[in-house]
Amino acid sequence: MVSGGAFSGGGVRRRPVLPNGVLAILLFIGVEAMLFAGFFSAFTIVKANFAPGMWPPPGQPRFPAEATAVTTLILLVSGVLLWWSGRRFDTEPASARGLLAASATLGATFIGIQGVEWARLIGEGLTLEDNPYGGLFYVIVGAHAAHAVPALIALIVMWVRMQRGYLDAVSFTVARAFWYFVVLVWPVLYWRVYL
Amino acid sequence: MNAPAHGHDHVHDDGGHHHHHEMTFVEKYIFPTDHKYIGKQYLLTGMLMAVFGGFFAYAFRMQLAWPGSDIPLFGHMSPAEYNAAVTNHGTIMIFWVAMPVLIAAFGNFLIPLMVGADDMVFPRLNRLSYQIFLVSAIVIVASLFVPGGGFGGAWTAYPPLSGDSAYNLTPLGSSLWLVAVALEFVAFLVGGINFIVTAMNARAPGMKWTDVPMVVWMICIASILFMASVGPLMAGAVMLLFDQTLHTGFFDPRQGGDPILWQHLFWFFGHPEVYVVLLPATGMVAEVVAVHSRKKLFGYKTILFTAVGTGVLSFFVWAHHQFIAGIDPRMANIFTITTVLISIPIAEMMFLYIATLYGGSIRFTTPMLWALGFIFAFLIGGVTGIPLGASGADIYLHDSYFVIAHFHFTFFPIAFIGTFTGLTHWFPKMFGRMMNETLGKIHFWGTIIAVHCLFLPMFVLGLAGHHRRIYDYTNFPELSTPFLTNIGIFATVSLLVLLAFQFVFVFNFFYSMFKGPVAEANPWKAGSLEWQCPSPPPHGNFGEHLPTVYRGPYEYSVPGRDKDYWPQSEPA
């Protein structure tokens, strides 16, 4: 019993403000929000340094704003389904599991479409080196992907645990909170970077 | 335990059985999850890194005093080595000495003990935090020995110098430097989350927010500041690493990037970082001042609010590092105002410590001397910050030795005087033995006198026009007059004295750890919870009966009681 699970440790002997895991993920999400705030402000400052009409730089491909509006919608729907799944977790486990599967599927769809878009932009000659326009795009969208993929894996793990019947409410809340972060930071990203 | 997330909300009434488990050497010392051992690992790693930081200071001060001479233990110093030495001196002292010792070592050791918990809420994340930190320390040391040498672009790593190896000539050193700093931030991020959740959820029953010892508050506020400010720098670090390795041009004007952008991202973190290390040090001073003057901490809530106020303001002062970087003068005015404003809460905090002393039964023990030394030296640092915060004066003083003297009068009290305050006070609890008071006082007086002799001359050098990044002043006749040369040599000799006195501490530390007189549970007769368990505390800290709290931590000299202290856990 010296080392328990990752979440077992000092005993909580009072009514916790929030369960340990939930409090920890909220703090972590705060840090991540500041990370993206740093990226967005960098994008805004670099864009402001370019002369009017020079952004996006001539000859560079445009970001696909219309197509990404659709993927943004897919991601938002995934978030809503997850929220719904969380509400049904206690009362109707079977329906919660279905909603979680639907949410994760939409999340995977989003990541897949973004990956294809990314590959297409590389094909059209949007590079990291030429200017910060392409560089910032790949760094910011890549940072989002670096959060979306682990968050999706967490959702899949939650689904497997739910299937086997040992998913506890706190773990589920932690995974859901992280996915909500991935969902909610994307529209801001879309607004700052694509539009 | 195969359902990992179940442990968090169970009531630890079964605390007994895991204390009987015999831990192997590896479990106990190499991969511990016990917060006390992790704290000690951080402490010893930080002390080891201080040897590197101190050695660099010795080497470049010798070069400055006697340019071009052969430095004992180092040899001849080239300009590139000089740059690498000053850069890594700054980086190591802040990120690998001040941070791990003040926040991680004391935070880990003290928080569970002081809030009456048996461990951190996430002990394995805690262990992971130290392991990441250890890797980062290895990477920063390794970066000194790669081809091209260590990074020499100053600890602020301004691009384009830091972004392109054609300029800095350290292709490997600069990238490893950046990777090490980023890893170190991840370690403290994990640690900080642990501190805050532990202090919020694992407090003993009965401990209200006004019953939490000040140092716990300060470490938690510092962790919040760190977490709120580190994100933008991580974003900048990723971009700078890409500039170095993939030749993106985020900070390179030739490719349409903006070098000032890095300065904003860096200082948005860098200035709160000052308070991240300051607040834990002031928290330890608060504990020591109250215990060793046998008086209730004066203005508990006011101290707390000044700390929060300082923390909030610290996010709005960063551009005072950029007054000569070409920022808009109107913006410089705004940042001058916020910078001067931030001196108010910090000054108030120092006055409250002095007010705590007033009318107390002051005991001049070694920790108390260090606490008083902190207040004295830090006030010099604080007052000299005001001309630097005023944009008009800063245009002249920027990057001069005046700045060096100013921030060493803040960072030396924080990183060393603060550490010695805490270490001499909690040493009996950490190692179960008392430190030698005579050696402690010799160390105190030697250090405090030498450090003033070291940095006070630099104010004069700075006002005379010495710039902080010059390798050799002999080519500038008006700046290498006999007077200026001599006070530079005086500062270097003071540094040698300062370093010599640290051997007294190192001897006292290790000798007392093994041979010092055995400490009782509560040698200072203090009221907070960590002194109500054995010295050193066993695994699980309080044994079978975890404490319940009935009062605040500073109930000293309460009228009508036999003893002049009243433990927090003693029923009324």
Side-chain angles (χ1 to χ4, degrees), chain A residues 1-14 16-21 23-24 27-28 31 34-35 38-39 42 45-46 49-50 128-132 135-136 139 161 168 170-171, chain B residues 4-6 8 10 12 17 21 116 118-124 189 193 196-197 201 203-205 207 227-228 231-232 234-235 239 242 246-250 255-258 261 268 546-547:
Chain A
M1 276 292 286
V2 167
S3 52
F7 290 98
S8 80
V12 173
R13 298 186 290 140
R14 55 165 56 224
V17 187
L18 283 170
N20 292 341
L23 193 52
L27 290 167
F28 185 68
V31 177
M34 288 305 289
L35 174 77
F39 280 128
I45 289 172
V46 170
N49 283 340
F50 276 71
L128 274 170
E129 296 93 359
D130 289 345
N131 56 54
L136 279 165
V139 166
R161 284 195 194 164
D168 63 298
V170 172
S171 301
Chain B
H6 272 301
H8 47 81
H10 82 178
H12 246 254
H17 67 240
H21 175 89
D118 52 359
D119 206 331
M120 287 286 180
V121 292
F122 305 123
R124 288 168 72 185
L189 182 58
I193 290 174
I196 294 167
V197 178
N201 279 355
R203 295 202 308 281
M207 186 179 261
M227 290 195 285
M234 283 297 253
M239 287 154 67
F242 280 16
L246 303 174
H247 308 293
T248 53
F250 299 121
Q255 288 163 268
D258 182 1
L261 171 63
F268 183 80
L546 284 159

Side-chain angles (χ1 to χ4, degrees), chain A residues 4 11-12 18 34 36 38 45 51 53 55 72 126 136 142 145 150-151 176 180 182 195:
Chain A
V12 173
L18 283 170
M34 288 305 289
F36 279 93
I45 289 172
W55 187 276
T72 306
L126 186 67
L136 279 165
R176 266 171 27 228
Y180 294 148
V182 167
L195 295 183

Side-chain angles (χ1 to χ4, degrees), chain B residues 480-493:
Chain B
S480 55
T481 60
F483 173 68
L484 294 177
T485 308
N486 285 338
I487 59 173
I489 291 173
F490 178 73
T492 298
V493 173

